[in-house]
Amino acid sequence: MPDTQQAHAQLGTLSYVSPTPESPWGTYLAQVDRVLPYMGELARWSGTLRRPKRVLIVDVPIQLDSGEIAHFEGYRVQHSLSRGPGKGGVRYHPDVTLEEVMALSAWMTVKNAAVNLPFGGAKGGIRLDPKTLSMHELERVTRRYTSEIGIIIGPQRDIPAPDVNTNAQIMAWMMDTYSANVGATSTGVVTGKPVSLGGSLGRVKATGRGVFVTGREAMRRLKIPMEGARVAIQGFGNVGANAAELFVQAGAKIVAVQDHGGGLYNGHGLDAVALAAHVAQHGSVAGFPGGEVLGTEEFWTVETDVIIPAALEGQLTLARAERLRAKLVLEAANGPTTPAADDALAARGITVLPDVVCNSGGVIVSYFEWVQDFSSFFWSEEEINLRLDKIITGALNHIWATCDKYNFSLRTGAFVVACERILQARNERGLYP
Ligand code: NAD
């Protein structure tokens, strides 16, 4: 490693996490290391990228329906507030860790800057399995968590949103709890709310729509015809299912899907709408009658034009990248590709559209929601979808042009564009005192 990079790497040493090259924070640090040589004088601020600005760990105690007291570990990490308030989702999952939330918050900083939204980056999470809690317990845990992180969130400070296993109802409870604590209705404290409470039309489908729009643009550039294109999707939740529907509407076919319950294959194309209805009823794609059962590893070897990891991070490993038979990877999930897999895909000529652009549709419409809440003036769904298309396509075109000019991968190009904006803002703000 060159001396300058080593010096930068040392700046990132934190006592409270122990990242590995494949772990989420380790993956993020490796991505930052790749772009620092292109930051020129701004690289002196690189410590701001390698350290979260603020890390809050909270105990979330609740009374269970049985009368017992349970404690859950909750986090809110504000990675950067240089370009605006923190912005990022809240995840409920039994495997959530501080390190994971840190990486997700950092990717939010990069994502918001890559598409030029006036936000920093943040993320939250609670280590719990929502499937083991009743609706009342879920409400109590959400309200207590919101109260605990209430000291750092707010419409001008940090604005949470839904992520894995959280939804509009959970955002409504968060908004209500925050509002009760501050003594005023504060719709702009969270996004992804129900439309009746200041939510935005088009928000629920926005991330899947963004994946489709960026995929459509990438396919056009790579000369992959949409009509009849074979698409495989890992994760058939909010993002995966909505992206699937739009790809099918545009003429592509979903040949393979996989979720936590199993995998399916159908060379003629799965019925995405019927499959979404099956998932809504049964909780998984498993058992859907319209396809053959597909093994966990087999999923990654299906011949496709486009593959969309839309589940969790770290799924596209080196071993899977070496066997992948696709032309284009659309990173709908956050951090789905490990750095070693990224290199292997680049060497094999497989284009990877990075998460920070590909799945930015959700935060773009969250931004619209926040703006609409401030002005108390709401836009039509058509207007929202048009503005989303314009922002995300413009951001992708700018990043693609940067890559063509400097011969970067799309990820490096997106990080260069984003990190330059973040460090520029930090540089212009200067240090206090
Ligand atoms: P979701 O909870 O609606 O769906 C998650 C999906 O992943 C489910 O189909 C689940 O079965 C599947 N899954 C979980 N573990 C799996 C495993 N081990 N193997 C295979 N599949 C597995 O979540 P979502 O909102 O669709 O989010 C999916 C991804 O997109 C996450 O990485 C999230 O951070 C990212 N993302 C979401 C949004 C948003 O607006 N919802 C925005 C940006 C990024």
Side-chain angles (χ1 to χ4, degrees):
M1 198 192 281
D3 285 354
T4 44
Q5 255 190 44
Q6 206 149 16
H8 292 313
Q10 279 161 7
L11 277 173
T13 310
L14 299 166
S15 65
Y16 49 88
V17 284
S18 307
T20 66
E22 300 276 295
S23 69
W25 186 249
T27 299
Y28 164 73
L29 289 181
Q31 292 165 345
V32 168
D33 280 341
R34 285 184 188 195
V35 302
L36 288 182
Y38 306 103
M39 290 296 111
E41 283 294 298
L42 291 174
R44 65 190 279 263
W45 293 102
S46 63
T48 30
L49 295 172
R50 305 184 61 89
R51 295 166 171 270
K53 176 176 178 59
R54 192 173 283 144
V55 170
L56 180 63
I57 305 176
V58 293
D59 174 38
V60 187
I62 62 155
Q63 185 167 323
L64 299 177
D65 294 346
S66 64
E68 261 175 277
I69 305 295
H71 291 259
F72 299 96
E73 198 169 298
Y75 314 96
R76 185 72 189 172
V77 176
Q78 295 172 343
H79 172 260
S80 169
L81 304 178
S82 293
R83 302 182 73 251
K87 185 90 196 77
V90 175
R91 177 174 293 197
Y92 288 180
H93 198 277
D95 300 332
V96 163
T97 61
L98 172 62
E99 201 216 298
E100 180 187 43
V101 177
M102 278 169 55
L104 291 167
S105 71
W107 283 319
M108 285 309 300
T109 305
V110 176
K111 186 183 307 182
N112 290 329
V115 293
N116 214 3
L117 301 180
F119 290 132
K123 199 86 181 189
I126 313 182
R127 253 176 107 77
L128 59 75
D129 183 354
K131 287 195 267 314
T132 63
L133 297 181
S134 71
M135 198 69 164
H136 288 303
E137 290 167 339
L138 205 56
E139 179 174 351
R140 286 197 287 277
V141 87
T142 300
R143 289 186 182 279
R144 183 63 191 239
Y145 169 73
T146 308
S147 221
E148 295 294 340
I149 65 165
I151 52 174
I152 61 168
I153 63 169
Q156 301 283 15
R157 308 171 80 190
D158 180 3
I159 308 122
D163 189 63
V164 175
N165 289 328
T166 57
N167 54 25
Q169 175 61 74
I170 287 173
M171 294 307 113
W173 291 329
M174 289 188 77
M175 185 279 245
D176 183 67
T177 306
Y178 181 84
S179 297
N181 285 346
V182 299
T185 294
S186 177
T187 52
V189 66
V190 288
T191 57
K193 299 179 293 293
V195 172
S196 57
L197 291 178
S200 178
L201 294 170
R203 173 62 185 89
V204 173
K205 297 188 171 195
T207 307
R209 179 173 291 278
V211 171
F212 166 72
V213 171
T214 51
R216 182 193 68 201
E217 289 303 304
M219 288 167 78
R220 188 179 57 76
R221 285 169 178 272
L222 298 172
K223 304 199 177 1
I224 303 171
M226 181 64 81
E227 191 61 43
R230 297 156 301 171
V231 179
I233 306 187
Q234 187 204 31
F236 212 73
N238 173 298
V239 179
N242 281 309
E245 200 181 318
L246 291 169
F247 272 103
V248 170
Q249 279 171 16
K253 52 185 182 179
I254 312 300
V255 294
V257 291
Q258 181 188 82
D259 73 1
H260 69 280
L264 291 173
Y265 175 80
N266 183 338
H268 301 294
L270 293 151
D271 181 337
V273 175
L275 183 56
H278 176 89
V279 173
Q281 200 183 347
H282 303 280
S284 164
V285 299
F288 181 69
E292 299 159 31
V293 171
L294 188 66
T296 306
E297 290 308 316
E298 268 180 294
F299 170 82
W300 299 98
T301 61
V302 171
E303 194 171 345
T304 59
D305 296 294
V306 180
I307 188 159
I308 310 180
L312 299 174
E313 58 273 3
Q315 292 295 306
L316 190 42
T317 57
L318 175 60
R320 289 171 176 173
E322 281 169 347
R323 295 197 302 269
L324 205 70
R325 291 194 293 161
K327 295 172 190 150
L328 173 64
V329 177
L330 298 180
E331 289 191 337
N334 286 306
T337 311
T338 65
D342 221 13
D343 290 341
L345 293 170
R348 295 188 55 210
I350 298 173
T351 304
V352 178
L353 195 63
D355 48 5
V356 291
V357 185
C358 185
N359 71 25
S360 64
V363 73
I364 293 172
V365 176
S366 274
Y367 165 57
F368 297 161
E369 180 174 334
W370 183 71
V371 169
Q372 291 171 87
D373 285 340
F374 272 117
S375 58
S376 298
F377 181 77
F378 293 88
W379 313 341
S380 71
E381 188 160 357
E382 194 188 8
E383 199 173 351
I384 284 159
N385 290 344
L386 273 173
R387 286 183 195 249
L388 165 61
D389 203 308
K390 197 170 162 202
I391 290 187
I392 206 164
T393 310
L396 182 62
N397 287 343
H398 178 59
I399 290 163
W400 211 297
T402 307
C403 294
D404 285 346
K405 191 166 165 193
Y406 298 105
N407 204 18
F408 290 149
S409 71
L410 284 172
R411 189 186 315 282
T412 303
F415 266 68
V416 165
V417 167
C419 291
E420 206 165 62
R421 287 182 180 144
I422 299 159
L423 299 182
Q424 184 74 36
R426 187 62 268 169
N427 189 47
E428 279 160 359
R429 286 178 71 150
L431 280 184
Y432 170 83

